[in-house]
Amino acid sequence: MFNNLVTYYVHRHKLLPPNSALAYQYVLAAAGVYLRAENRFFDVLLPLARCPVRGLAPLEPHFHLKVPRLPGRLLAAVLVDARQARQPDGGLNEALYHFHHDGARVYVTKPPQQATATGVLGAESNVAGLLLDLHSHGAMRAFWSATDDADEQGFRAYGVIGRLDTRPEIRLRLGVYGYRFPLPAAALFDGTAPFMDTYGCEKQSAERKI
């Protein structure tokens, strides 16, 4: 069907050739295996498995955001809204938000959704312009659940916020078709107050840091 959906490259020379993959490319280099991918928002070369490979050229991993960072004021507005997602007893429900970039501006949508205290389901809209998929965990801490791991299979940034009524925290990662890489909040936002970024606070054995 598409022979170049996923491609493979052995890096023997100093410079990488143009990426030939529609989805992503595996690159074998001196320090191991890398994942290479690009879309309208991200250009990344990230390590998947580290091991010395004799005779190959070295590579420097990179993460490039191809648009300006997202305004922190939008994240603050999400917090205000997420704090209003209440159950009759006053407890918090989860909530889902989509950060879009249409080439000229950034905006946030709250898609139609079904939410409880422990989960939220919502439809995707304008997937081509969807840069960040973010959901809340209400009063719980910001963490990745097994459901999140199963659901997050696109090539975009994903986020979770938690402890909304006490000390709000945020956790971000980059998803590349099922591969996941923890991401500092400052890599996407120009400000994150009043959230505490939990990047690096907990070991995520299935993830590779950027």
Side-chain angles (χ1 to χ4, degrees):
M1 218 164 81
F2 294 105
N3 292 330
N4 62 336
L5 187 64
V6 177
T7 61
Y8 309 84
Y9 178 73
V10 178
H11 185 54
R12 295 187 173 92
H13 307 290
K14 184 176 180 180
L15 298 177
L16 275 173
N19 190 348
S20 61
L22 292 176
Y24 55 88
Q25 182 180 69
Y26 294 103
V27 180
L28 181 64
V33 180
Y34 295 76
L35 186 72
R36 186 185 187 195
E38 184 175 3
N39 62 14
R40 59 183 291 192
F41 300 126
F42 306 107
D43 176 8
V44 300
L45 177 69
L46 300 170
L48 283 179
R50 295 189 182 276
C51 63
V53 183
R54 296 171 183 171
L56 296 186
L59 279 177
E60 188 66 31
H62 66 251
F63 167 85
H64 293 152
L65 180 65
K66 297 164 67 175
V67 296
R69 290 187 298 168
L70 304 176
R73 58 179 174 79
L74 295 181
L75 190 59
V78 162
L79 176 60
V80 171
D81 187 82
R83 281 173 167 168
Q84 297 173 2
R86 299 285 175 176
Q87 303 169 32
D89 64 0
L92 284 163
N93 278 329
E94 294 193 5
L96 174 67
Y97 303 91
H98 289 161
F99 287 71
H100 301 268
H101 198 301
D102 65 6
R105 64 190 180 101
V106 179
Y107 60 96
V108 181
T109 62
K110 188 177 182 180
Q113 54 196 261
Q114 296 178 327
T116 68
T118 57
V120 59
L121 294 175
E124 291 187 351
S125 58
N126 186 21
V127 176
L130 182 53
L131 189 155
L132 169 64
D133 183 321
L134 181 142
H135 69 281
S136 75
H137 273 182
M140 296 184 293
R141 63 187 177 87
F143 69 96
W144 303 113
S145 68
T147 299
D148 296 334
D149 290 345
D151 289 345
E152 296 175 358
Q153 299 296 316
F155 183 10
R156 66 179 70 111
Y158 294 95
V160 58
I161 55 177
R163 292 178 173 159
L164 305 187
D165 280 340
T166 53
R167 190 181 182 189
E169 57 187 38
I170 185 170
R171 183 183 295 271
L172 299 180
R173 65 185 178 185
L174 179 69
V176 186
Y177 304 114
Y179 291 103
R180 300 179 292 273
F181 304 87
L183 190 65
L188 279 193
F189 287 96
D190 63 11
T192 58
F195 288 96
M196 180 186 73
D197 183 10
T198 62
Y199 173 79
C201 293
E202 295 181 16
K203 184 178 180 180
Q204 300 276 329
S205 60
E207 298 180 347
R208 298 88 174 167
K209 286 187 179 180
I210 290 177

